[in-house]
Amino acid sequence: MKFFIDTADLEQIKEANDLGILDGVTTNPSLMAKVGIKGQEAVYQHYKTICEIVKDGDISAEVVSTDFNGIVEEGKKLAALHKNIVVKVPMIKEGVKAIKWFTDNGIRTNCTLVFSAGQAILAAKAGAAYVSPFLGRIDDSGWDGVQLIEQIAEIYAVQGYETEILAASIRSSLHIIQCAEAGADVITSPLEPILGLLKHPLTDIGLAKFLEDAKKFN
Ligand code: E4P
């Protein structure tokens, strides 16, 4: 399972990248706004900077147009920024048409805002490189987000779809583990749940004891 970080914060991207386990980055307009990016040129420059930090990973850059022509024009500009840019397109009718156009024209896409198996089937049919089910937001609304990941994984396996399942809207380290069990190809998570995977009190207790005992033979 690949690890993407879900942020536009350059320091957090560097920290995850330095850990050596980072395979890519996802962003969205809310995450870009959160770090104070203003203006189209600044948005493009920020994506380029992220691509320079994470040299070998896919970087999702989201369109904000909602009509076919707008999505295609915007997506072409984003894809031209760097070879690792994946155009993030919302799961709407015009978005599905645009994903098919991008597929036919060699531009990779991440279909975002996916909340059902039916939407995931459409994304795969249109040829999206990634489909992003938002499991945390599903949990927030009283449904089981991990169950959706399992369902999509089963459908994609049965049907032989090549679209990768990118589990998004991760809220905890447990979500990451559950996604690995459920068959996600990728998780995209804020930094904290990723770092949370490192933690176990018995590791800390065991290390303290080893270091204490090491003093005896030093
Ligand atoms: C996915 O690509 C989105 O950027 C993200 O995972 C949304 O997460 P949220 O529900 O925490 O906003």
Side-chain angles (χ1 to χ4, degrees):
M1 187 173 77
K2 289 187 269 188
F3 273 52
F4 289 2
I5 188 167
D6 193 31
T7 185
D9 183 313
L10 298 181
E11 288 313 309
Q12 292 193 9
I13 293 170
K14 280 181 199 152
E15 189 174 337
N17 196 48
D18 286 349
L19 204 53
I21 52 94
L22 192 66
D23 301 298
V25 180
T26 53
T27 61
N28 63 41
S30 306
L31 293 171
M32 295 293 272
K34 196 171 163 189
V35 294
I37 306 297
K38 279 201 176 72
Q40 200 53 59
E41 273 317 303
V43 168
Y44 288 162
Q45 187 48 52
H46 203 72
Y47 285 137
K48 284 189 199 168
T49 306
I50 294 173
C51 290
E52 281 157 21
I53 297 170
V54 185
K55 296 197 166 41
D56 293 325
D58 284 344
I59 313 301
S60 286
E62 187 157 345
V63 298
V64 290
S65 302
T66 53
D67 63 295
F68 174 79
N69 288 330
I71 296 172
V72 166
E73 283 317 305
E74 215 185 315
K76 283 197 283 189
K77 285 183 194 148
L78 290 169
L81 293 174
H82 194 280
K83 65 178 175 41
N84 292 346
I85 291 282
V86 175
V87 180
K88 205 171 171 190
V89 181
M91 170 38 78
I92 53 175
K93 198 172 175 186
E94 297 289 287
V96 171
K97 277 165 63 180
I99 289 170
K100 179 69 171 77
W101 187 92
F102 287 128
T103 305
D104 292 344
N105 287 276
I107 293 175
R108 291 179 309 139
T109 52
N110 170 0
C111 183
T112 190
L113 289 166
V114 166
F115 295 90
S116 75
Q119 291 177 325
I121 291 171
L122 280 180
K125 284 290 289 174
Y130 297 102
V131 64
S132 288
F134 277 34
L135 71 110
R137 293 193 194 184
I138 292 172
D139 283 1
D140 293 345
S141 61
W143 298 77
D144 187 343
V146 173
Q147 215 168 58
L148 176 62
I149 305 293
E150 283 168 9
Q151 191 184 17
I152 297 171
E154 194 178 332
I155 292 169
Y156 279 17
V158 168
Q159 297 296 329
Y161 291 141
E162 286 173 10
T163 300
E164 291 189 64
I165 303 169
L166 198 177
S169 185
I170 297 277
R171 301 269 191 264
S172 65
S173 305
L174 180 61
H175 265 163
I176 298 177
I177 296 162
Q178 290 172 323
C179 285
E181 283 177 333
D185 299 291
V186 191
I187 55 93
T188 188
S189 166
L191 184 59
E192 276 313 306
I194 296 174
L195 295 181
L197 294 173
L198 288 164
K199 292 182 199 153
H200 197 288
L202 290 179
T203 304
D204 299 338
I205 293 166
L207 181 61
K209 175 79 172 122
F210 286 157
L211 296 180
E212 191 54 34
D213 287 346
K215 287 182 195 153
K216 295 174 189 164
F217 57 79
N218 272 334

